[in-house]
């Protein structure tokens, strides 16, 4: 497949119309139909079908479109970077971050960074730790901030912070005045958990008797757990940096026993030289983390 086919496919997916796509691409509707037919032959499965007279993508088309969009995000970043270099003489600072870090200390670091470099654009890409590491290895991001390490070749990993998790409960909860909460104290409580498969989830699960914990919700973001706890939907174990940053008045963050370690790492690609801007952002991040402690 070639770029023209992919561009045409993307336009049809976004507009749900070959006629409108043809207008956007400055070509004819028959030409769009011909290119889509060629692409279907290349990939070996149908991309569109007519349903009640309307153009509808197949499930295979939707799956392909997700990967196409990721590729076009990269192209858009290149265009933004070129405009920035033309205007400012410097490129965009691209940061990849796991959700718990992106929603807590990263905004504080961006504020400090912007006070010194107000004209430097910053793009924050949020994903799983494994995804962020891959982004950094390929230089899609200048810096990666992750919650756990994975076997990704081509990156250097440095421990940024290590803290013990806290149990978050509503401020009106029966345990809200405790100085420490033990796993047995949560017997029968609705529990909101990080998703299965992460290192932190495994450590959290190990602290509980699986027959006595009521697991009701899973979510990849600690900030979401805190918001749900604030709405009295349950309790959870999270990285304390999240509770300190969110400062939700309706929850209490209480030390938890046994200890569940939460670690944060900086990921860098050694084959790409570190930029002055990236190094300064890490200084801002370290300062933000210290101030939030």
């Amino acid at each position: 497949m070639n770029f023209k086919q992919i561009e045409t496919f993307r336009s049809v997916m976004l507009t749900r119309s070959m006629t409108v796509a043809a207008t956007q691409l400055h070509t004819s509707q028959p030409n769009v139909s011909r290119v889509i037919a060629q692409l279907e032959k290349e990939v070996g499965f149908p991309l569109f079908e007519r349903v009640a007279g309307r153009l509808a993508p197949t499930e295979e088309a939707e799956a392909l479109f997700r990967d196409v969009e990721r590729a076009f995000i990269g192209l858009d970043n290149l265009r933004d970077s070129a405009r920035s270099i033309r205007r400012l003489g410097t490129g965009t600072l691209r940061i990849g971050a796991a959700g718990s870090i992106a929603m807590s200390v990263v905004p504080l670091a961006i504020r400090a960074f912007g006070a010194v470099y107000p004209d430097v654009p910053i793009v924050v890409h949020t994903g799983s730790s494994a995804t962020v590491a891959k982004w950094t290895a390929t230089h899609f991001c200048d810096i990666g901030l992750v919650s756990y390490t994975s076997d990704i070749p081509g990156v250097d990993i440095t421990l940024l912070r290590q803290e013990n998790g806290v149990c978050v409960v509503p401020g009106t909860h029966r345990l809200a005045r405790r100085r420490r909460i033990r796993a047995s104290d949560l017997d029968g409580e609705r529990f909101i958990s990080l998703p299965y498969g992460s290192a932190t989830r495994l450590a959290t699960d190990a602290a509980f008797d699986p027959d006595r914990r009521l697991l009701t919700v899973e979510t990849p973001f600690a900030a979401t757990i805190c918001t749900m706890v604030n709405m009295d939907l349950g309790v959870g174990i999270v990285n304390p940096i999240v509770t300190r940053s969110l400062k939700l008045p309706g929850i209490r963050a209480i030390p938890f026993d046994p200890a569940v370690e939460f670690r944060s790492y900086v990921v860098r690609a050694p084959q790409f030289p570190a930029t002055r801007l990236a190094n300064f952002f890490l200084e801002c991040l370290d300062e933000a983390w210290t101030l939030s402690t």
Side-chain angles (χ1 to χ4, degrees), residues 62-220:
E62 294 284 6
L64 179 63
F65 181 64
R66 287 192 288 270
D67 285 333
V68 167
E69 278 298 271
R70 280 192 284 269
F72 270 82
I73 287 173
L75 290 175
D76 289 340
N77 285 339
L78 287 176
R79 296 188 187 99
D80 291 342
S81 181
R83 282 195 295 266
S84 177
I85 293 170
R86 183 171 62 248
R87 185 177 74 252
L88 305 172
T90 183
T92 299
L93 179 61
R94 299 158 301 173
I95 302 163
S100 60
I101 304 174
M103 298 180 193
S104 55
V105 288
V106 166
L108 299 175
I110 289 175
R111 183 171 63 184
F113 181 92
V116 178
Y117 295 104
D119 295 326
V120 174
I122 298 177
V123 177
V124 179
H125 296 286
T126 304
S128 68
S129 291
T131 299
V132 170
K134 291 177 182 177
W135 285 341
T136 309
T138 59
H139 211 222
F140 178 66
C141 293
D142 301 303
I143 305 168
L145 306 170
V146 301
S147 301
Y148 61 88
T149 60
S150 53
D151 295 329
I152 302 297
V155 296
D156 287 339
I157 300 173
T158 305
L159 180 66
L160 180 63
R161 286 291 192 282
Q162 176 178 318
E163 299 187 71
N164 289 334
V166 291
C167 181
V168 285
V169 301
T172 57
H173 194 274
R174 64 181 178 84
L175 299 173
R177 296 187 179 275
R178 291 283 187 92
R179 292 188 176 183
R180 180 171 295 275
I181 292 178
R182 294 176 174 81
S184 58
D185 295 328
L186 301 181
D187 287 353
E189 293 285 343
R190 293 170 298 170
F191 194 86
I192 307 169
S193 178
L194 293 168
Y196 185 78
S198 67
T200 307
R201 168 64 184 268
L202 292 175
T204 303
D205 286 352
F208 291 92
D209 181 338
D211 296 327
R212 305 182 72 176
R213 184 177 54 154
L214 185 60
L215 185 61
T216 57
V217 180
E218 292 186 18
T219 173

